[in-house]
Structure formats: C-alpha cells, structure tokens
C-alpha cells in the first residue's frame, strides 16, 4: 500500500532493498546481544573458577575476545542503523487518496474562485515597471548590493511591505486566534530535519559555518514555529495550538532553473507571515480547512481576485500529505500565481521532531502539524500593484490597508495621497 501511494508522487521505494537492510540490522543487533550474553556468562565463569582456586587465564582470554567481538558487532549494527535512518529521512510523506494524480502544477484541480479578474481599458504594466515608475522598487541597486533575485523597497514601497505584514498579523492574532512569535532566523540542522528540509533540500538552503557551529537561514517560519515543540509531550486539552510569525525567508532556489527571474516572484530573500497549527491526528483534515480559510480571509479583505487549487500528488511538498494552493490573479501574466500553500502534514513532521500528544485516557500518540502562508508579503504586493493600477500610472491601495499606510494612493514618482 505504501509503495503504491509513494509511487503516486514519483517516489520509487525499493522494498526488497529496504527489507534486506532491516533484516541485516536486526541480525546484527541480535548477534551483539548474543555476544553480550556470552560475555556475562564468561564473567560469571571467571568468578566461579577464582572461587574454586582454578586457573582463570583461559577464561579471561575468552572474555577479552568476546569484548572485542562485541565492539566490532556493535559498530556494524550502528552503521546499519545509521544507514536505515538516513534512508528513511529521504522518504516523503504519503499523499492523500483525495489528492489528484500528476507531477506538476498543470494537474492541480481548482476548488473555488473568489472575485473577478479586472478588465483593463489600457495595457496593464507588470509590477517591475510599475514599481520603478512609482519610485518604490529598485532592483538595480539591489543587484549591486547582493546580486540577482533581491529587491530594495523604498518610501511608500517599504511602508506597504510593513503595512501588509502588520495587517496580516493583526487579522490572525485578533480574529483567528493565533499566538504571535518572534523566532530565530538561524536554526540548527536538527531543526531543519524535524520539518523535512534536511537532508532532502540541502541545496535550496543558505548555510552558515562559524567556528564549530553549523546553522541554516530559515526558508520559512514553519521551521522554527513547528520545532518549538520538538521532543515535547503535549496535553490533548491544549490542542489545537495556533502559531504565527513574520520573518524573512531565505531560499537559494537551486532547482528553479531561471524561472520567474524578473521582479519579486521568486527571490532569495522575501518576507512572509506564516501560520502553523498543531492538533490531534484525527483532526488534521478539518484543521486544514480552517487554516486555508484564514489565509483566504487576507485576500478577501484586500479585495484581490484569487482561486484555490488542490495540488497533484507529484507537486506537493516533501512533508505534505495534502496541499491547497491559494493563487492570486496577476494581470501582466494573465494567470493566477501562488501566494500561499496550506498543507496538512499529518504526523510526518511530528514523528521526525518527536512531538507527541497525551490523551485524556493516558494514551500517547504523535501530533499532526499544518502550515500555510498567511500571506507571502512580496507576492501580495505584486497583486495589489497590478490589480489596482490606474491608467495614469498610480495605484489605489485596498481600503483595509489605508489605516496602516496613512495614504490611499501611490502616485508616479513616489508621492502619496
């Protein structure tokens, strides 16, 4: 069953090889235990011979030989154990039966739409041309500072970035019940492993090595938020736990092969408000609907046309069991683009991070974890600029943001009103 389900997401599990590895590991452990039992008996024999006044040298030689054999056997078992562990860390989560088949975004199934894509009486500009004409985005100076795939936001642009983050956080903490956190942006390899970024996505991460410490820049706040409870036993009555954080996100985009290099669609550094929920395993499907609704609320409050799609099995993230993508309308491309992925990871991450739940009956089980963007700030800014642009080059701000911005329109040249 697991082999078939993994095959739906393009992962071929060599079951014969795995069974052979497990068998060899079990035999090595069994052999080590047998040798330890012999060593214990040898120690007793030495004591018995000594009490009887006999020559213990032969018995001691046998004990020394057994000690050496135990060390060799123990090392062999540990090597096989590490080989098994390393392999299992590369096996993705099992996809949900309800997820559509396919290996790319083309196979995603639309679930619903909200809002109508705007019809323009003029040729709409993309966010790069708009942002540069408005004086709020500067990609050339960003490249001078850091190379390609970075952006500098200035004046009203920087204020719009900050306003969006504050608006999202206020919505999620004030109306959706999330507990806001400020978290480290550098985390350990163990933390990355807990949520599934390591070892699979090593090449997509920015890594730092200072002294004897290896730390990674977070690709999303999902990593530190979920791992806050790594190794802990949660009480069922405290669930669900709802967490949010606004952080920069750092991704090398090693596998993007030149896609979306223009503007802010795919950057090495971007900001995001993340949502994480931890619950009982049996509640995860319902919790995913709730989390997705919270992310959708952001788009509706901003008046941005979007749609929700269920991702195909071959396109969902490594740790995900089922994923909804929220895609916002981007006029310059004439298509919907992802602004949030909301995933149910079931118990996959909790098993890796050892997050367990103790029920009212005392039974201990693994928790379920869920995560989603609520929302990605840069891509939301793209949608606002492009969907709300005017013929004179100005951009009207969503009503919900005006109290945070202090202005309702950005004019060419960077002025506001």
């Amino acid at each position: 069953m697991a082999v078939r389900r993994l095959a739906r997401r393009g992962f071929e599990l060599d079951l014969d090889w795995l069974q052979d590895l497990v068998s060899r590991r079990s035999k090595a452990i069994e052999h080590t235990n047998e040798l330890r039992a012999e060593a214990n008996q040898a120690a007793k024999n030495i004591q018995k011979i000594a009490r009887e006044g006999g020559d213990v040298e032969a018995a001691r030689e046998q004990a020394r030989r057994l000690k050496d054999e135990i060390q060799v056997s123990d090392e062999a078992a540990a090597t096989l154990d590490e080989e098994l562990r390393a392999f299992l860390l590369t096996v993705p989560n099992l996809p949900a039966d309800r997820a559509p088949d396919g290996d790319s975004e083309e196979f995603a199934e639309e679930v619903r739409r909200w809002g109508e894509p705007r019809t323009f009486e003029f040729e709409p500009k993309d966010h790069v041309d708009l942002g540069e004409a408005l004086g709020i985005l500067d990609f050339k100076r960003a490249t001078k500072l850091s190379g390609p795939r970075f952006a500098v936001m200035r004046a009203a642009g920087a204020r719009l970035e900050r306003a969006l983050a504050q608006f999202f956080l206020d919505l999620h903490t004030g109306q959706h019940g999330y507990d806001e956190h400020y978290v480290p942006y550098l985390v350990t390899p163990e933390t990355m492993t807990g949520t599934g970024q390591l070892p699979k996505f090593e090449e997509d991460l920015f890594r730092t090595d200072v002294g004897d410490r290896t730390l990674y820049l977070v690709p999303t706040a999902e990593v530190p938020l979920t791992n806050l409870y790594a190794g802990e036993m949660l009480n069922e009555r405290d669930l669900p736990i709802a967490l949010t954080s606004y952080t920069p996100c750092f991704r090398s985009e090693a596998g993007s092969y030149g896609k979306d290099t223009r503007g802010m669609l795919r950057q090495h550094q971007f900001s995001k408000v993340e949502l994480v929920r931890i619950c009982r395993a049996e509640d995860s499907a319902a919790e995913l609907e709730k989390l997705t609704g919270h992310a959708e609320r952001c788009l509706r409050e901003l008046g941005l046309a979007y749609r929700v799609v269920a991702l195909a099995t071959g396109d969902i993230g490594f740790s995900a069991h089922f994923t909804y993508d929220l895609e916002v309308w981007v006029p310059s491309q004439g298509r919907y683009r992802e602004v949030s992925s909301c995933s149910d990871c079931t118990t996959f991450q909790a098993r890796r991070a050892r997050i367990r739940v103790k029920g009212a009956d005392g039974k201990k089980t693994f928790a379920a974890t869920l995560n989603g963007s609520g929302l990605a700030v840069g891509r939301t800014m793209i949608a606002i600029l492009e969907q709300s642009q005017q013929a004179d080059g100005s951009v009207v701000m969503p009503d919900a943001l005006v109290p945070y911005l202090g202005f309702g329109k950005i004019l060419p040249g960077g002025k506001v009103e």
Side-chain angles (χ1 to χ4, degrees), residues 246-262:
Y246 168 59
T247 69
C249 303
F250 304 92
R251 301 181 186 179
S252 72
E253 298 288 357
S256 58
Y257 304 112
K259 291 192 303 183
D260 298 320
T261 56
R262 179 174 167 83

Side-chain angles (χ1 to χ4, degrees), residues 64-279:
R64 285 191 289 268
R65 177 182 59 79
L66 286 169
K67 182 180 179 181
D68 291 340
E69 289 183 10
I70 288 171
Q71 182 177 349
V72 172
S73 182
D74 205 27
E75 289 175 354
T79 298
L80 290 168
D81 190 66
E82 180 57 32
E83 185 178 352
L84 177 60
R85 178 181 178 276
F87 170 73
L88 292 177
L89 287 176
T90 68
V91 179
N93 199 354
L94 297 174
D97 291 338
R98 65 186 176 120
D101 288 318
D103 60 0
S104 70
E105 61 184 23
E106 297 176 4
F107 295 92
E109 292 184 357
E110 185 172 306
V111 177
R112 56 183 170 271
R113 291 190 183 195
W114 187 90
E116 289 293 329
R118 179 182 167 193
T119 300
F120 291 87
E121 297 180 353
F122 58 92
E123 186 67 28
K125 296 179 180 179
D126 71 4
H127 71 281
V128 177
D129 292 338
L130 274 170
E132 291 178 342
L134 292 169
I136 63 173
L137 296 177
D138 193 332
F139 296 100
K140 291 182 179 178
R141 287 190 172 93
T143 301
K144 179 172 65 175
L145 293 174
S146 307
R149 295 201 175 186
F150 288 91
V152 168
M153 303 176 195
R154 64 174 298 275
R159 193 159 182 174
L160 178 56
E161 154 90 16
R162 177 160 50 90
L164 280 167
Q166 188 64 62
F167 169 69
F168 295 153
L169 287 170
D170 285 353
L171 187 61
H172 296 314
T173 58
Q175 299 188 36
H176 297 154
Y178 289 82
D179 190 14
E180 184 180 356
H181 285 67
Y182 173 84
V183 294
Y185 303 158
L186 290 163
V187 297
T188 65
E190 292 75 19
T191 299
M192 284 290 191
T193 302
T195 39
Q197 279 72 26
L198 285 179
K200 176 71 173 177
F201 301 106
E202 171 82 30
E203 66 175 5
D204 274 330
L205 303 172
F206 283 103
R207 168 175 169 166
T208 68
D209 292 282
V210 180
D212 61 350
R213 298 184 69 189
T214 294
L215 295 172
Y216 291 87
L217 288 161
V218 295
T220 163
E222 165 204 344
V223 176
L225 286 176
T226 304
N227 280 282
L228 285 172
Y229 296 94
E232 296 189 19
M233 180 73 68
L234 307 177
N235 197 307
E236 184 181 71
R237 67 170 177 266
D238 297 327
L239 301 180
I241 294 172
L243 316 166
T244 187
S245 185
Y246 168 59
T247 69
C249 303
F250 304 92
R251 301 181 186 179
S252 72
E253 298 288 357
S256 58
Y257 304 112
K259 291 192 303 183
D260 298 320
T261 56
R262 179 174 167 83
M264 297 195 300
L265 272 167
R266 197 182 296 272
Q267 296 189 292
H268 293 313
Q269 176 186 320
F270 61 96
S271 297
K272 184 155 65 82
V273 171
E274 185 72 3
L275 305 176
V276 166
R277 299 183 74 84
I278 302 175
C279 65

Side-chain angles (χ1 to χ4, degrees), residues 24-44:
R24 286 187 288 121
R25 171 179 170 272
S26 297
K27 289 178 180 178
I29 293 172
E30 183 179 352
H31 182 55
T32 301
N33 290 336
E34 290 173 352
L35 289 172
R36 286 200 173 101
E38 287 185 43
N40 289 336
Q41 186 60 50
K44 292 177 181 178

Side-chain angles (χ1 to χ4, degrees), residues 125 129-136 390-395 409-417:
K125 296 179 180 179
D129 292 338
L130 274 170
E132 291 178 342
L134 292 169
I136 63 173
Q390 307 300 306
D392 63 359
S394 65
V395 177
K409 181 184 288 189
I410 306 176
L411 304 173
K415 294 183 179 181
V416 297
E417 65 176 34

